[in-house]
Structures are given as C-alpha cells and as structure tokens.
Amino acid sequence: MLLQLKARAGYWLARRLFHWSWFVRQPRGWRWLEGQFARMANLGDVGAQSFYGHILTFRGMGLGAREEGVRLLRLAALAGDGKAAYQVGVISLAGTPSKAPDAVEAARWWGMAAKAGHPLAELKLQELASRGPAQ
C-alpha cells in the first residue's frame, strides 16, 4: 500500500517535471523520470502505460525501447485507452521490424479506438474500407 502511494506520488511529480525542458535534458533527470514512468506502467496503471508507451515508441532509443513501447500501448489499448488503440492500429498497418503490416489487425484496433471515442479512428476505418480487400 505504501509502495503504491509512493509510486503514484513519484509519477505525479514526474509528469509535472516532464514539461520542464531543462530537467528533461539532464541525463540523471531523464533517467529518474523514466524510472517513475516505468514503475507506474508496470503497476498496471492504464494512463501510465499509454503515456510511457508513446514515449518509448516514438522517442525511445533502439529497437528494444520501441518494442516495449508497443507492448505497453497494446496493454493500455486492451484496457480501453482509445489513444493507445489508435496508435497500435497505425503501427499494425505500417508494420514493425518483427511483424509484417496487417490491415485486419489495424481495423480491429481502430474499431476499439472508435468505441473508446477516438476522433480519428472512424475516419481511418472508412479509409481502410475504401481501399478494399487488396491491402
């Protein structure tokens, strides 16, 4: 109980400090932020999984960071996060080094995102449907 409270407090502070560019540019500061984000994501917090997943997927260094980011985004999407589901759909359609592009999987993720209220998911589904089954 106390550890979860400490993790939540650290995460709250890290989210605030994340907007201070001078802090983010400091290597020790960035490592501390990443530790707080990772700890909260590993505790199963959907918002933290989505947030840290986006950071790792789009700003992470190396393939391992990107793969971990996609994994966190998938977890958040399965828990109902619309933004994460939308991004997993985009990633599914584009493909990754370890997985070929898959339009059917992208449509499934975008369907989940549309149910969660993501504003672009329905548009992407219509776009995908207009392409036809050749994709």
Side-chain angles (χ1 to χ4, degrees), residues 65-133:
R66 180 174 163 82
E67 292 294 326
E68 176 65 7
V70 172
R71 184 187 75 82
L72 289 173
L73 286 174
R74 284 179 198 271
L75 289 173
L78 290 172
D81 186 279
K83 185 177 176 184
Y86 177 80
Q87 286 300 329
V88 173
V90 170
I91 292 166
S92 296
L93 189 60
T96 64
S98 63
K99 194 169 186 184
D102 187 351
V104 175
E105 185 179 350
R108 183 173 67 91
W109 289 111
W110 285 333
M112 291 172 65
K115 283 183 186 174
H118 194 280
L120 294 176
E122 192 64 41
L123 184 65
K124 284 291 193 179
L125 283 170
Q126 291 171 359
E127 211 175 274
L128 196 59
S130 70
R131 288 185 183 177

Side-chain angles (χ1 to χ4, degrees), residues 6 11 13 21 36 42 47 58 71 85 94 103 106-107 119 134:
K6 182 180 175 186
Y11 181 71
L13 181 60
S21 61
Q36 301 308 306
N42 288 333
F58 298 107
R71 184 187 75 82

